[in-house]
Amino acid sequence: MKFDELGLDPKVLSAVLEAGYETPTPIQAEAIPHALQGRDVLGIAQTGTGKTASFTLPMITLLAKGRARARMPRSLILAPTRELAAQVAENFETYGKNLRLSMALLIGGVSFADQERIIDRGVDVLIATPGRLIDHFERGKLMLTGIEIMVVDEADRMLDMGFIEDLERIFKLTPFTRQTLFFSATMPPEITRLTEEFLSNPVRVEVARASSTADIVTQKACVLPGAVRDRADREKRAALRHIIDEQGETLTNGIIFCNRKRDVSTLFKSLTSHGYNCGALHGDLEQRVRMQVLDGFRKGQVKLLVASDVAARGLDIPSVSHVFNYDVPINAEDYVHRIGRTGRAGREGAAFTIVKPSDLKALAKVEELIKKEIPRVELEGLTNAEPPAAPEPRSSSRRAEGGKRSEREEKTRDADPQEERGRRRRSRRRDAPERERDEPVIGMGDHIPAFLLREVPLPGRKKRDPADGDKVIDEEKIADEAEAPEITTDDLTPDAKERREGATVDISAEAEAGAPDPTESADAA
Ligand code: AMP
């Protein structure tokens, strides 16, 4: 299919060709003809699929006939952020350059007076963020009763940003005879409800991410050997750290997806205690906290974002070098959305999925959906024990070089209470992670006594999980290191006994002071 078969105005068509596009993307090919017929469209598509042109091109064609009246815009496009609104405006300028359509951009940071002057003269297209539009409306200088076409772009992101009530109000201020073109990357229940209420018999157009984009994402699946049930999570966490370490400098920033919000908290705490710079995002966090975490991630202050699918919906992240699936998603579609976070705007991306043998069925469903086999990778050095060696100092440079830790070293780390104490302290002093990571490992030398490798349940302290409502968690079990078996002091040499007792005193002192919870501290900030 070519653009000239879609029924666009010849002036729009020539602008599209001048922009260098000949073939419409799937969402353009499907949505444009319906939009030109005046139908409501429900487009389920992400950024990168060409969705902006799928509504701007028919809009310009439809608006080419007719004239705007003062203070009564003829069409309205709502976008969640200033940047996105500005991007849509650019599209209008590019594709509408051969027509004389007037446009106003209502976004924060531009003076009300300037914007009002433009609206006073009458505009064909009003592009706005919901909050700013309501502000203008409340000043009484704008009427929405002349809206013929209304576009909602990235609705799920508006939901994430707390704009749903504004959006609903705006819908009610526009005439019900309007044509609505509604776009969202995902369809959470609140969005579905909105579309049911405000769209009239819409044509549903659903597209996966443009394949050309997905092709520049290197996908890998790391299938772990079977593990006894209570060790599986620990192995997954070790595998994740191993994969992260191996990426070296190619990993500029990444999102780690978990299926359950409970795992988001656990994994976040575990990674933090291992010295990784990360933040957590799940649906239970207050909007304000989520925005803070996201902001840190956008600015590059937070390198790894541990997130659930729900929380990550519509994230405004310009480019992520890596996506890690800590779990194979339960819904195969989520895989497409997850990996869609990387490989944006022509940049290369990498997506790693950790697979337990019991997840192989879910992985097969993903492969069926993407019509592609995801290459398997072996995690060398993780599952094969390395020959004994004296513990080396760990350093951040080793990590940056993609250096691996041996299984032995891992076990030593996990088992030594003094090391655990050091790590707890480090997780608390995240402002100095580099220096702390250079501290030598104080381990058990070359020999690991057999009792250290024995699995014994931890008595552990109990407290409520702030991230998971009523759930009582065993704080000791949260960080990987806490999964080390309990050692009775009778088993130890006099030296180790002394160290151990020192550690015990310290840990309980920390317990009294209340171990810091990063989500709590973010909340308090
Ligand atoms: P969007 O999904 O609207 O953010 O568009 C993503 C990118 O695809 C933008 O850089 C567009 O310029 C580009 N694009 C839009 N339509 C086409 C097309 N038909 N062929 C190739 N690229 C396109």
Side-chain angles (χ1 to χ4, degrees), residues 351-418:
F352 287 86
T353 303
I354 296 174
V355 187
K356 284 188 295 178
S358 57
D359 294 331
L360 283 168
K361 259 192 191 161
L363 185 71
K365 281 202 181 135
V366 168
E367 292 181 321
E368 200 180 309
L369 178 77
I370 62 171
K371 297 188 175 62
K372 186 162 154 176
E373 195 176 321
I374 303 172
R376 311 298 196 248
V377 282
E378 298 266 324
L379 295 183
E380 275 172 46
L382 181 80
T383 47
N384 304 323
E386 285 176 10
E392 305 165 34
R394 274 177 301 130
S395 77
S396 53
S397 59
R398 264 183 77 210
R399 176 160 293 163
E401 286 157 21
K404 299 168 209 162
R405 280 186 224 109
S406 68
E407 185 185 41
R408 230 188 102 272
E409 195 182 339
E410 282 293 338
K411 280 176 185 158
T412 310
R413 278 165 54 80
D414 283 353
D416 190 304
Q418 204 153 342

Side-chain angles (χ1 to χ4, degrees), residues 155-171:
D156 50 359
R157 216 154 108 192
M158 290 193 197
L159 173 71
D160 283 342
M161 296 173 73
F163 281 144
I164 282 300
E165 279 175 24
D166 286 346
L167 190 56
E168 206 164 334
R169 184 166 167 211
I170 296 166
F171 263 121

Side-chain angles (χ1 to χ4, degrees), residues 3 16 20-25 27-28 46-55 57 84 87 91 95 154 345:
F3 269 113
V16 172
Y21 305 134
E22 275 184 25
T23 315
T25 64
I27 188 141
Q28 291 164 357
Q46 293 187 324
T47 307
T49 52
K51 69 175 165 57
T52 317
S54 79
F55 60 81
L57 300 181
L84 200 64
Q87 220 170 295
N91 264 254
Y95 303 130
E154 308 217 353

Side-chain angles (χ1 to χ4, degrees), residues 27-43:
I27 188 141
Q28 291 164 357
E30 282 197 60
I32 291 174
H34 293 295
L36 287 173
Q37 284 165 10
R39 291 283 303 268
D40 279 5
V41 173
L42 170 56

Side-chain angles (χ1 to χ4, degrees), residues 412 415 444-454 485 487 491-493 496:
T412 310
M444 292 270 178
D446 282 347
H447 172 67
I448 305 173
F451 68 80
L452 282 185
L453 304 174
R454 221 163 45 212
I487 315 159
D491 290 333
L492 301 177
T493 60

Side-chain angles (χ1 to χ4, degrees), residues 167-209:
L167 190 56
E168 206 164 334
R169 184 166 167 211
I170 296 166
F171 263 121
K172 289 177 180 163
L173 292 171
T174 60
F176 74 94
T177 50
R178 68 174 186 267
Q179 178 184 10
T180 311
L181 311 175
F182 191 102
F183 293 83
S184 191
T186 55
M187 290 298 289
E190 298 93 324
I191 298 293
T192 305
R193 184 185 62 77
L194 267 189
T195 59
E196 285 168 355
E197 186 172 350
F198 296 108
L199 269 64
S200 158
N201 188 24
V203 181
R204 189 181 164 108
V205 179
E206 193 163 353
V207 295
R209 206 172 168 73

Side-chain angles (χ1 to χ4, degrees), residues 86-239:
Q87 220 170 295
V88 174
E90 267 175 40
N91 264 254
F92 253 92
E93 275 167 5
T94 308
Y95 303 130
K97 65 177 193 175
N98 301 325
L99 290 138
R100 276 216 222 120
L101 291 178
S102 54
M103 175 178 81
L105 187 58
L106 298 192
I107 53 175
V110 183
S111 91
F112 274 94
D114 290 350
Q115 293 173 325
E116 275 167 3
R117 250 193 309 280
I118 302 175
I119 294 171
D120 269 351
R121 276 187 250 134
V123 291
D124 295 296
V125 188
L126 187 60
I127 304 171
T129 50
R132 190 70 168 194
L133 183 81
I134 297 263
D135 287 348
H136 271 275
F137 183 79
E138 287 180 345
R139 287 163 72 103
K141 301 276 175 73
L142 170 66
M143 281 183 278
L144 297 174
T145 45
I147 299 291
E148 299 158 30
I149 308 170
M150 174 163 156
V151 175
V152 178
D153 195 13
E154 308 217 353
D156 50 359
R157 216 154 108 192
M158 290 193 197
L159 173 71
D160 283 342
M161 296 173 73
F163 281 144
I164 282 300
E165 279 175 24
D166 286 346
L167 190 56
E168 206 164 334
R169 184 166 167 211
I170 296 166
F171 263 121
K172 289 177 180 163
L173 292 171
T174 60
F176 74 94
T177 50
R178 68 174 186 267
Q179 178 184 10
T180 311
L181 311 175
F182 191 102
F183 293 83
S184 191
T186 55
M187 290 298 289
E190 298 93 324
I191 298 293
T192 305
R193 184 185 62 77
L194 267 189
T195 59
E196 285 168 355
E197 186 172 350
F198 296 108
L199 269 64
S200 158
N201 188 24
V203 181
R204 189 181 164 108
V205 179
E206 193 163 353
V207 295
R209 206 172 168 73
S211 60
S212 60
T213 320
D215 284 347
I216 59 168
V217 178
T218 310
Q219 302 174 58
K220 299 271 169 63
C222 314
V223 184
L224 300 183
V228 251
R229 210 164 159 262
D230 58 350
R231 290 185 65 92
D233 285 340
R234 181 179 168 180
E235 285 190 0
K236 281 171 75 177
R237 289 196 286 266

